[in-house]
Amino acid sequence: MIIENLLVSFGAEIKNYREGDVIFREKELPMYYYQIKKGKIKLNNYTEEGKEFIQNIFSEGHSFGESLLFVDRPYPMNAVVLEDSAIYRMSKQNFLNLIRNNPEVSLNIYECLAERMYYKYIMLYNLSFQNPVTKLKLLMDYLKSYQDHKKPYSFQIPLTRQQMASLTGLCVETVIRTIKQMEKDQIVKIERRKIYY
């Protein structure tokens, strides 16, 4: 999202995280801008019963949690490392200075935030459906919308069945059964446990 040279010139440092590390927790105050150099993280919450709800998954080149640097409110979610990661971390003040001095970066931030809002609208709408096929298809349509190839089975879903369940509010068993039914209905194709849509 922000080129690495610019990040470094404004004081960003690379921090290494291991799978399972928590970068920030719900109710902590935002202090840093984060951008992934390598790896994958998820934003999540847990219900009172301990069930995980994944809000989003980010990988190389993505930033996360930056919208909260513009308001004085605590994080409403956790950021958890899904695989060993190297992440640029820059103080909130340095981040705000960077965007004040680089209007083109501000435009990129606006576009990113608009895209995230679009994703939230789609997922919020998705929660209104009862049919698991509809829920999973809406998620797959959103993920595939960023690909050039639109032919059937041209896109490998980059999520595990557990992650799909956590993103849609379904239980993993329902996702497994529904994916098998979608394969029978020729909506998806499964090869070596990978889902192609």
Side-chain angles (χ1 to χ4, degrees):
M1 202 171 121
I2 300 175
I3 60 171
E4 294 179 5
N5 292 344
L6 191 57
L7 286 173
V8 172
S9 72
F10 276 83
E13 58 185 4
I14 293 179
K15 292 215 31 135
N16 294 304
Y17 296 90
R18 294 262 182 226
E19 180 181 341
D21 286 351
V22 177
I23 298 168
F24 57 75
R25 286 184 165 77
E26 214 175 324
K27 299 185 179 153
E28 291 180 351
L29 287 174
M31 303 294 288
Y32 299 99
Y33 168 81
Y34 297 98
Q35 184 171 306
I36 304 169
K37 179 176 176 65
K38 175 182 81 72
K40 192 181 286 189
I41 69 103
K42 65 181 172 183
L43 299 181
N44 74 358
N45 298 95
Y46 293 95
T47 66
E48 290 176 358
E49 298 81 35
K51 182 180 177 188
E52 181 182 38
F53 177 75
I54 297 177
Q55 293 195 21
N56 215 330
I57 296 176
F58 298 104
S59 56
E60 187 176 320
H62 292 128
S63 59
F64 55 95
E66 69 278 359
S67 63
L68 294 161
L69 295 173
F70 297 103
V71 294
D72 286 327
R73 297 199 180 266
Y75 288 115
M77 72 290 202
N78 308 298
V80 181
V81 180
L82 286 173
E83 61 186 45
D84 290 356
S85 299
I87 298 176
Y88 282 105
R89 186 178 84 167
M90 179 191 313
S91 73
K92 175 180 179 175
Q93 191 55 55
N94 286 359
F95 170 70
L96 295 175
N97 289 338
L98 186 154
I99 61 172
R100 276 188 203 106
N101 293 309
N102 296 277
E104 71 284 355
V105 172
S106 293
L107 185 59
N108 287 346
I109 298 283
Y110 298 148
E111 288 174 5
C112 177
L113 294 177
E115 187 61 45
R116 302 248 174 93
M117 285 177 66
Y118 177 75
Y119 170 77
K120 293 286 185 193
Y121 294 143
I122 294 286
M123 295 312 288
L124 190 60
Y125 178 57
N126 199 356
L127 292 175
S128 69
F129 294 112
Q130 298 299 314
N131 183 333
V133 171
T134 305
K135 284 179 173 277
L136 291 171
K137 192 167 179 328
L138 190 63
L139 175 63
M140 291 178 191
D141 284 340
Y142 174 78
L143 294 171
K144 190 172 180 175
S145 71
Y146 291 97
Q147 305 303 310
D148 293 333
H149 304 291
K150 305 296 182 197
K151 289 190 224 170
Y153 319 126
S154 62
F155 175 65
Q156 180 185 329
I157 301 299
L159 304 170
T160 66
R161 285 149 180 83
Q162 179 62 61
Q163 290 167 341
M164 292 171 75
S166 296
L167 282 164
T168 57
L170 298 169
C171 67
V172 71
E173 294 81 9
T174 301
V175 169
I176 291 167
R177 278 194 313 272
T178 304
I179 293 293
K180 286 179 182 174
Q181 184 58 51
M182 290 172 78
E183 183 181 35
K184 286 180 186 171
D185 295 341
Q186 299 182 342
I187 298 170
V188 299
K189 185 164 58 169
I190 300 173
E191 290 180 3
R192 296 188 191 115
R193 296 190 36 83
K194 303 288 185 196
I195 303 166
Y196 292 89
Y197 180 62

